[in-house]
mmCIF file of all heavy atoms in Angstrom:
data_model
loop_
_atom_site.group_PDB
_atom_site.id
_atom_site.type_symbol
_atom_site.label_atom_id
_atom_site.label_comp_id
_atom_site.label_asym_id
_atom_site.label_seq_id
_atom_site.Cartn_x
_atom_site.Cartn_y
_atom_site.Cartn_z
ATOM 1 N N ALA A 6 -14.269 17.278 31.880
ATOM 2 C CA ALA A 6 -15.261 16.855 30.893
ATOM 3 C C ALA A 6 -14.811 17.164 29.470
ATOM 4 O O ALA A 6 -14.976 16.342 28.562
ATOM 5 C CB ALA A 6 -16.605 17.526 31.186
ATOM 6 N N GLU A 7 -14.225 18.357 29.263
ATOM 7 C CA GLU A 7 -13.814 18.724 27.902
ATOM 8 C C GLU A 7 -12.648 17.871 27.417
ATOM 9 O O GLU A 7 -12.518 17.603 26.213
ATOM 10 C CB GLU A 7 -13.457 20.207 27.817
ATOM 11 C CG GLU A 7 -12.305 20.646 28.696
ATOM 12 C CD GLU A 7 -12.754 21.173 30.048
ATOM 13 O OE1 GLU A 7 -13.819 20.726 30.532
ATOM 14 O OE2 GLU A 7 -12.053 22.045 30.608
ATOM 15 N N VAL A 8 -11.815 17.416 28.341
ATOM 16 C CA VAL A 8 -10.698 16.546 27.976
ATOM 17 C C VAL A 8 -11.226 15.181 27.532
ATOM 18 O O VAL A 8 -10.818 14.655 26.490
ATOM 19 C CB VAL A 8 -9.724 16.386 29.160
ATOM 20 C CG1 VAL A 8 -8.681 15.311 28.865
ATOM 21 C CG2 VAL A 8 -9.048 17.720 29.459
ATOM 22 N N LEU A 9 -12.140 14.619 28.293
ATOM 23 C CA LEU A 9 -12.712 13.313 27.938
ATOM 24 C C LEU A 9 -13.500 13.398 26.631
ATOM 25 O O LEU A 9 -13.432 12.485 25.806
ATOM 26 C CB LEU A 9 -13.616 12.807 29.050
ATOM 27 C CG LEU A 9 -12.946 12.023 30.165
ATOM 28 C CD1 LEU A 9 -13.973 11.578 31.188
ATOM 29 C CD2 LEU A 9 -12.202 10.812 29.609
ATOM 30 N N LYS A 10 -14.229 14.489 26.440
ATOM 31 C CA LYS A 10 -14.989 14.647 25.200
ATOM 32 C C LYS A 10 -14.057 14.660 23.999
ATOM 33 O O LYS A 10 -14.305 13.988 22.982
ATOM 34 C CB LYS A 10 -15.817 15.929 25.253
ATOM 35 C CG LYS A 10 -16.653 16.164 24.001
ATOM 36 C CD LYS A 10 -17.463 17.454 24.127
ATOM 37 C CE LYS A 10 -18.284 17.693 22.864
ATOM 38 N NZ LYS A 10 -19.071 18.966 22.954
ATOM 39 N N ALA A 11 -12.970 15.416 24.106
ATOM 40 C CA ALA A 11 -12.009 15.497 23.006
ATOM 41 C C ALA A 11 -11.340 14.158 22.760
ATOM 42 O O ALA A 11 -11.134 13.754 21.608
ATOM 43 C CB ALA A 11 -10.963 16.568 23.311
ATOM 44 N N ARG A 12 -10.995 13.448 23.829
ATOM 45 C CA ARG A 12 -10.327 12.153 23.674
ATOM 46 C C ARG A 12 -11.257 11.119 23.056
ATOM 47 O O ARG A 12 -10.855 10.332 22.180
ATOM 48 C CB ARG A 12 -9.803 11.672 25.020
ATOM 49 C CG ARG A 12 -9.075 10.328 24.972
ATOM 50 C CD ARG A 12 -7.822 10.371 24.085
ATOM 51 N NE ARG A 12 -7.219 9.049 23.975
ATOM 52 C CZ ARG A 12 -6.230 8.612 24.761
ATOM 53 N NH1 ARG A 12 -5.732 9.397 25.710
ATOM 54 N NH2 ARG A 12 -5.732 7.402 24.593
ATOM 55 N N ARG A 13 -12.507 11.086 23.489
ATOM 56 C CA ARG A 13 -13.460 10.124 22.926
ATOM 57 C C ARG A 13 -13.669 10.370 21.432
ATOM 58 O O ARG A 13 -13.770 9.424 20.642
ATOM 59 C CB ARG A 13 -14.790 10.191 23.671
ATOM 60 C CG ARG A 13 -14.727 9.690 25.111
ATOM 61 C CD ARG A 13 -16.108 9.706 25.757
ATOM 62 N NE ARG A 13 -16.052 9.499 27.188
ATOM 63 C CZ ARG A 13 -15.929 8.325 27.783
ATOM 64 N NH1 ARG A 13 -15.858 7.230 27.053
ATOM 65 N NH2 ARG A 13 -15.896 8.229 29.109
ATOM 66 N N GLU A 14 -13.730 11.628 21.043
ATOM 67 C CA GLU A 14 -13.900 11.952 19.625
ATOM 68 C C GLU A 14 -12.673 11.520 18.834
ATOM 69 O O GLU A 14 -12.803 10.959 17.726
ATOM 70 C CB GLU A 14 -14.131 13.454 19.461
ATOM 71 C CG GLU A 14 -14.361 13.885 18.018
ATOM 72 C CD GLU A 14 -15.524 13.174 17.355
ATOM 73 O OE1 GLU A 14 -16.533 12.914 18.029
ATOM 74 O OE2 GLU A 14 -15.410 12.864 16.139
ATOM 75 N N LYS A 15 -11.498 11.752 19.383
ATOM 76 C CA LYS A 15 -10.280 11.322 18.689
ATOM 77 C C LYS A 15 -10.236 9.804 18.569
ATOM 78 O O LYS A 15 -9.831 9.259 17.531
ATOM 79 C CB LYS A 15 -9.045 11.824 19.433
ATOM 80 C CG LYS A 15 -7.750 11.446 18.717
ATOM 81 C CD LYS A 15 -6.523 12.032 19.388
ATOM 82 C CE LYS A 15 -5.271 11.639 18.624
ATOM 83 N NZ LYS A 15 -4.050 12.197 19.238
ATOM 84 N N GLU A 16 -10.650 9.093 19.606
ATOM 85 C CA GLU A 16 -10.655 7.632 19.565
ATOM 86 C C GLU A 16 -11.573 7.123 18.462
ATOM 87 O O GLU A 16 -11.235 6.173 17.741
ATOM 88 C CB GLU A 16 -11.077 7.067 20.922
ATOM 89 C CG GLU A 16 -10.066 7.274 22.030
ATOM 90 C CD GLU A 16 -8.798 6.459 21.819
ATOM 91 O OE1 GLU A 16 -8.882 5.322 21.347
ATOM 92 O OE2 GLU A 16 -7.706 6.981 22.140
ATOM 93 N N LYS A 17 -12.730 7.740 18.287
ATOM 94 C CA LYS A 17 -13.648 7.337 17.215
ATOM 95 C C LYS A 17 -12.990 7.521 15.849
ATOM 96 O O LYS A 17 -13.112 6.661 14.969
ATOM 97 C CB LYS A 17 -14.936 8.150 17.300
ATOM 98 C CG LYS A 17 -15.817 7.834 18.492
ATOM 99 C CD LYS A 17 -17.056 8.720 18.504
ATOM 100 C CE LYS A 17 -17.911 8.456 19.725
ATOM 101 N NZ LYS A 17 -19.098 9.353 19.763
ATOM 102 N N GLN A 18 -12.323 8.641 15.655
ATOM 103 C CA GLN A 18 -11.649 8.903 14.385
ATOM 104 C C GLN A 18 -10.540 7.894 14.122
ATOM 105 O O GLN A 18 -10.361 7.417 12.999
ATOM 106 C CB GLN A 18 -11.099 10.327 14.380
ATOM 107 C CG GLN A 18 -12.153 11.408 14.443
ATOM 108 C CD GLN A 18 -11.557 12.786 14.652
ATOM 109 O OE1 GLN A 18 -10.336 12.973 14.695
ATOM 110 N NE2 GLN A 18 -12.416 13.791 14.789
ATOM 111 N N ARG A 19 -9.789 7.560 15.181
ATOM 112 C CA ARG A 19 -8.683 6.614 15.030
ATOM 113 C C ARG A 19 -9.189 5.218 14.681
ATOM 114 O O ARG A 19 -8.551 4.486 13.920
ATOM 115 C CB ARG A 19 -7.848 6.584 16.308
ATOM 116 C CG ARG A 19 -7.167 7.890 16.659
ATOM 117 C CD ARG A 19 -6.088 8.263 15.663
ATOM 118 N NE ARG A 19 -5.000 7.306 15.665
ATOM 119 C CZ ARG A 19 -3.981 7.325 16.520
ATOM 120 N NH1 ARG A 19 -3.931 8.252 17.475
ATOM 121 N NH2 ARG A 19 -3.021 6.436 16.443
ATOM 122 N N ILE A 20 -10.316 4.824 15.246
ATOM 123 C CA ILE A 20 -10.893 3.513 14.930
ATOM 124 C C ILE A 20 -11.269 3.459 13.449
ATOM 125 O O ILE A 20 -10.995 2.468 12.756
ATOM 126 C CB ILE A 20 -12.104 3.218 15.827
ATOM 127 C CG1 ILE A 20 -11.642 2.943 17.266
ATOM 128 C CG2 ILE A 20 -12.894 2.011 15.299
ATOM 129 C CD1 ILE A 20 -12.775 2.812 18.263
ATOM 130 N N LYS A 21 -11.894 4.520 12.939
ATOM 131 C CA LYS A 21 -12.273 4.560 11.521
ATOM 132 C C LYS A 21 -11.050 4.466 10.623
ATOM 133 O O LYS A 21 -11.085 3.821 9.574
ATOM 134 C CB LYS A 21 -13.044 5.845 11.226
ATOM 135 C CG LYS A 21 -14.436 5.897 11.838
ATOM 136 C CD LYS A 21 -15.121 7.215 11.496
ATOM 137 C CE LYS A 21 -16.508 7.295 12.117
ATOM 138 N NZ LYS A 21 -17.164 8.598 11.836
ATOM 139 N N SER A 22 -9.961 5.087 11.043
ATOM 140 C CA SER A 22 -8.754 5.103 10.213
ATOM 141 C C SER A 22 -8.075 3.740 10.132
ATOM 142 O O SER A 22 -7.204 3.525 9.284
ATOM 143 C CB SER A 22 -7.761 6.137 10.748
ATOM 144 O OG SER A 22 -7.175 5.709 11.962
ATOM 145 N N LEU A 23 -8.452 2.817 11.001
ATOM 146 C CA LEU A 23 -7.827 1.498 11.019
ATOM 147 C C LEU A 23 -8.358 0.565 9.929
ATOM 148 O O LEU A 23 -7.721 -0.444 9.617
ATOM 149 C CB LEU A 23 -8.040 0.829 12.378
ATOM 150 C CG LEU A 23 -7.254 1.399 13.554
ATOM 151 C CD1 LEU A 23 -7.806 0.847 14.864
ATOM 152 C CD2 LEU A 23 -5.781 1.055 13.423
ATOM 153 N N ALA A 24 -9.512 0.872 9.358
ATOM 154 C CA ALA A 24 -10.171 -0.056 8.439
ATOM 155 C C ALA A 24 -9.271 -0.451 7.271
ATOM 156 O O ALA A 24 -9.106 -1.634 6.958
ATOM 157 C CB ALA A 24 -11.473 0.550 7.932
ATOM 158 N N GLY A 25 -8.665 0.530 6.624
ATOM 159 C CA GLY A 25 -7.814 0.233 5.477
ATOM 160 C C GLY A 25 -6.567 -0.533 5.868
ATOM 161 O O GLY A 25 -6.134 -1.447 5.144
ATOM 162 N N LEU A 26 -6.004 -0.199 6.991
ATOM 163 C CA LEU A 26 -4.796 -0.879 7.453
ATOM 164 C C LEU A 26 -5.081 -2.350 7.752
ATOM 165 O O LEU A 26 -4.283 -3.227 7.417
ATOM 166 C CB LEU A 26 -4.263 -0.180 8.702
ATOM 167 C CG LEU A 26 -2.839 -0.520 9.136
ATOM 168 C CD1 LEU A 26 -1.836 -0.115 8.070
ATOM 169 C CD2 LEU A 26 -2.523 0.177 10.460
ATOM 170 N N LYS A 27 -6.203 -2.618 8.366
ATOM 171 C CA LYS A 27 -6.562 -3.999 8.691
ATOM 172 C C LYS A 27 -6.767 -4.838 7.424
ATOM 173 O O LYS A 27 -6.407 -6.017 7.385
ATOM 174 C CB LYS A 27 -7.823 -4.033 9.545
ATOM 175 C CG LYS A 27 -7.621 -3.537 10.973
ATOM 176 C CD LYS A 27 -8.933 -3.352 11.687
ATOM 177 C CE LYS A 27 -9.729 -4.640 11.751
ATOM 178 N NZ LYS A 27 -11.041 -4.441 12.373
ATOM 179 N N LYS A 28 -7.325 -4.235 6.387
ATOM 180 C CA LYS A 28 -7.521 -4.954 5.126
ATOM 181 C C LYS A 28 -6.186 -5.237 4.439
ATOM 182 O O LYS A 28 -5.999 -6.278 3.815
ATOM 183 C CB LYS A 28 -8.423 -4.150 4.192
ATOM 184 C CG LYS A 28 -9.875 -4.105 4.628
ATOM 185 C CD LYS A 28 -10.713 -3.302 3.629
ATOM 186 C CE LYS A 28 -12.174 -3.255 4.045
ATOM 187 N NZ LYS A 28 -12.986 -2.458 3.087
ATOM 188 N N ARG A 29 -5.264 -4.301 4.565
ATOM 189 C CA ARG A 29 -3.975 -4.417 3.882
ATOM 190 C C ARG A 29 -3.020 -5.362 4.592
ATOM 191 O O ARG A 29 -2.232 -6.064 3.942
ATOM 192 C CB ARG A 29 -3.346 -3.017 3.763
ATOM 193 C CG ARG A 29 -1.973 -2.993 3.115
ATOM 194 C CD ARG A 29 -1.633 -1.610 2.616
ATOM 195 N NE ARG A 29 -1.494 -0.619 3.669
ATOM 196 C CZ ARG A 29 -0.324 -0.255 4.211
ATOM 197 N NH1 ARG A 29 0.797 -0.820 3.792
ATOM 198 N NH2 ARG A 29 -0.272 0.669 5.145
ATOM 199 N N ILE A 30 -3.074 -5.412 5.902
ATOM 200 C CA ILE A 30 -2.105 -6.184 6.680
ATOM 201 C C ILE A 30 -2.781 -7.420 7.251
ATOM 202 O O ILE A 30 -3.654 -7.317 8.126
ATOM 203 C CB ILE A 30 -1.499 -5.317 7.799
ATOM 204 C CG1 ILE A 30 -0.696 -4.174 7.162
ATOM 205 C CG2 ILE A 30 -0.625 -6.148 8.731
ATOM 206 C CD1 ILE A 30 -0.093 -3.210 8.144
ATOM 207 N N ARG A 31 -2.365 -8.582 6.765
ATOM 208 C CA ARG A 31 -3.011 -9.842 7.153
ATOM 209 C C ARG A 31 -2.056 -10.809 7.847
ATOM 210 O O ARG A 31 -2.485 -11.878 8.274
ATOM 211 C CB ARG A 31 -3.600 -10.529 5.906
ATOM 212 C CG ARG A 31 -4.589 -9.683 5.122
ATOM 213 C CD ARG A 31 -5.852 -9.419 5.887
ATOM 214 N NE ARG A 31 -6.827 -8.644 5.141
ATOM 215 C CZ ARG A 31 -7.761 -9.168 4.352
ATOM 216 N NH1 ARG A 31 -7.836 -10.481 4.196
ATOM 217 N NH2 ARG A 31 -8.614 -8.385 3.706
ATOM 218 N N THR A 32 -0.758 -10.468 7.934
ATOM 219 C CA THR A 32 0.215 -11.359 8.555
ATOM 220 C C THR A 32 1.081 -10.589 9.531
ATOM 221 O O THR A 32 1.221 -9.365 9.435
ATOM 222 C CB THR A 32 1.129 -12.025 7.510
ATOM 223 O OG1 THR A 32 1.964 -11.017 6.915
ATOM 224 C CG2 THR A 32 0.323 -12.735 6.433
ATOM 225 N N LEU A 33 1.704 -11.319 10.452
ATOM 226 C CA LEU A 33 2.585 -10.689 11.424
ATOM 227 C C LEU A 33 3.802 -10.082 10.728
ATOM 228 O O LEU A 33 4.291 -9.014 11.112
ATOM 229 C CB LEU A 33 3.017 -11.734 12.453
ATOM 230 C CG LEU A 33 3.397 -11.240 13.857
ATOM 231 C CD1 LEU A 33 2.267 -10.436 14.481
ATOM 232 C CD2 LEU A 33 3.769 -12.420 14.740
ATOM 233 N N ASP A 34 4.276 -10.743 9.694
ATOM 234 C CA ASP A 34 5.417 -10.232 8.936
ATOM 235 C C ASP A 34 5.094 -8.888 8.286
ATOM 236 O O ASP A 34 5.901 -7.950 8.323
ATOM 237 C CB ASP A 34 5.824 -11.244 7.872
ATOM 238 C CG ASP A 34 6.859 -10.674 6.917
ATOM 239 O OD1 ASP A 34 8.010 -10.501 7.333
ATOM 240 O OD2 ASP A 34 6.498 -10.381 5.760
ATOM 241 N N SER A 35 3.903 -8.766 7.695
ATOM 242 C CA SER A 35 3.541 -7.514 7.036
ATOM 243 C C SER A 35 3.317 -6.398 8.060
ATOM 244 O O SER A 35 3.596 -5.229 7.781
ATOM 245 C CB SER A 35 2.304 -7.692 6.153
ATOM 246 O OG SER A 35 1.194 -8.128 6.904
ATOM 247 N N LEU A 36 2.849 -6.743 9.250
ATOM 248 C CA LEU A 36 2.717 -5.731 10.291
ATOM 249 C C LEU A 36 4.093 -5.262 10.763
ATOM 250 O O LEU A 36 4.318 -4.069 10.970
ATOM 251 C CB LEU A 36 1.913 -6.271 11.475
ATOM 252 C CG LEU A 36 1.716 -5.285 12.641
ATOM 253 C CD1 LEU A 36 1.064 -3.989 12.170
ATOM 254 C CD2 LEU A 36 0.906 -5.922 13.754
#
């Protein structure tokens, strides 16, 4: 349970961190 709790929390943080990257990268070349 503690492993899943920690992983789910990390996944939420990682999703939030993607917002700026998605705005900045709009093409396959830039990715």
Side-chain angles (χ1 to χ4, degrees):
E7 61 267 29
V8 171
L9 273 181
K10 181 180 179 181
R12 180 62 185 266
R13 292 184 192 279
E14 182 57 37
K15 182 176 181 180
E16 291 292 322
K17 290 179 183 178
Q18 296 171 3
R19 297 293 296 276
I20 289 173
K21 290 180 181 178
S22 72
L23 288 167
L26 195 62
K27 289 169 59 183
K28 289 181 180 179
R29 178 161 65 96
I30 295 178
R31 303 293 182 90
T32 67
L33 207 56
D34 171 72
S35 59
L36 180 56

